[in-house]
Amino acid sequence: MDASRPHPVRVHNYWLGGKDNYAADRELGDAMIAELPGLAMMAREHRRFMERAVRHLATEVGLSQYVLLGSGLPTSYNLHQVAQEVEPLASVVYVDSDPVVAAHSRALLVSHPKGSVSFVPGDVTEPAALLDDPALTGAVDLRAPVAVALSSTLMRHSDEEARAILDVLIARLAPGSHLVITHPTADFDPAGVERAMQVGNAVGLDRSARSQAQVLELFAGLELLDPGVVPIMQWRPDGSGPRRDARRVHLLGGVGRRP
């Protein structure tokens, strides 16, 4: 761990108001906010979207198995807590290839006594190897439906790489499984998003944006749940967050069911 260099998960932690970050992370986070002022708000709204999606899958669909790919640092209210509030027996697996995330996750993720929470080191670019990992298959039963969340994970990958990842997941997951996908978009402010990404990419925070049509293509082979691929604040809003213009949050999201 090099505290003198910004790290993407610590920058995101800073935007969320967390304490697991250093001066270099805060400096980069502020530099990106200078180009796109709503970034911290976007991080919070992204978390709210993921909470709503998981709560819907637990409450309305009845899923009790969850895998979060590219999990990032734990926060004060994690997705396993959302799922286990509805179903205490729920099993949740956090997956990330970053050793910083691994260290924090193993220390801080605590399950409901009746359920299970685990962290599995893994790379989303090798989905077949991940789905064959005994650490993952010992935590969730892939013969039964499972919810897999790709939390802005695909923004680091080309169209071909993203398609290859998704094709493996769709082929290997049981019918009735669901994929939750979020992705940055430049549809609402192309210049601002481009400037912010240039600041981040200059120090190794590889990011890319996709249009609504391109994000929709990621759901090929899945049955999209209403309301489809939309700005995340418009996906089944519950009225719990502050009122904001949905187009100020430059993230698209959707949930698809594997038929």
Side-chain angles (χ1 to χ4, degrees):
M1 183 179 67
D2 184 356
S4 67
R5 296 173 60 86
H7 192 288
V9 297
R10 295 196 305 256
V11 172
H12 190 259
N13 178 265
Y14 169 55
W15 288 337
L16 283 173
K19 298 179 180 179
D20 297 309
N21 52 75
Y22 298 98
D25 308 306
R26 295 188 287 273
E27 288 171 7
L28 177 60
D30 289 341
M32 295 178 70
I33 287 174
E35 302 297 343
L36 197 65
L39 279 172
M41 176 187 69
M42 287 169 56
R44 294 189 294 270
E45 291 298 338
H46 182 270
R47 184 168 60 178
R48 291 190 182 100
F49 163 82
M50 296 299 293
E51 291 171 4
R52 295 197 304 275
V54 168
R55 189 170 289 109
H56 169 78
L57 294 174
T59 304
E60 303 299 329
V61 180
L63 294 183
S64 60
Q65 301 190 114
Y66 300 84
V67 177
L68 179 58
L69 300 180
S71 56
L73 291 174
T75 62
S76 58
Y77 188 51
N78 299 286
L79 294 188
H80 70 275
Q81 295 167 291
V82 180
Q84 290 178 346
E85 282 179 0
V86 178
E87 174 48 81
L89 297 175
S91 299
V92 181
V93 179
Y94 294 88
V95 178
D96 206 294
S97 60
D98 194 310
V100 173
V101 174
H104 282 79
S105 297
R106 290 186 174 119
L108 298 176
L109 295 173
V110 179
S111 173
H112 187 285
K114 295 183 178 180
S116 70
V117 174
S118 54
F119 178 86
V120 175
D123 194 331
V124 70
T125 61
E126 299 177 350
L130 176 61
L131 294 177
D132 289 331
D133 189 329
L136 188 140
T137 58
V140 294
D141 181 3
L142 296 179
R143 297 168 297 180
V146 59
V148 176
L150 296 106
S151 178
S152 292
T153 306
L154 297 176
M155 66 182 172
R156 303 180 185 93
H157 302 287
S158 67
D159 291 341
E160 294 77 13
E161 291 169 340
R163 187 71 264 155
I165 292 167
L166 292 168
D167 284 347
V168 171
L169 292 175
I170 293 170
R172 293 283 302 274
L173 296 176
S177 296
H178 288 64
L179 293 186
V180 182
I181 299 174
T182 58
H183 204 291
T185 185
D187 286 359
F188 313 133
D189 184 2
V193 171
E194 176 64 21
R195 289 194 304 270
M197 288 190 169
Q198 285 180 350
V199 172
N201 292 346
V203 293
L205 273 69
D206 296 331
R207 299 289 188 271
S208 64
R210 284 184 166 95
S211 68
Q212 188 172 28
Q214 289 172 316
V215 176
L216 184 60
E217 290 177 0
L218 298 176
F219 286 89
L222 299 169
E223 299 171 349
L224 261 177
L225 275 59
D226 288 337
V229 174
V230 295
I232 56 172
M233 292 176 63
Q234 295 178 350
W235 198 91
R236 301 181 183 237
D238 57 11
S240 62
R243 288 175 171 260
R244 293 192 176 107
D245 180 359
R247 293 169 64 89
R248 291 181 58 206
V249 178
H250 306 283
L251 289 166
L252 300 171
V255 180
R257 179 183 181 275
R258 197 264 203 217

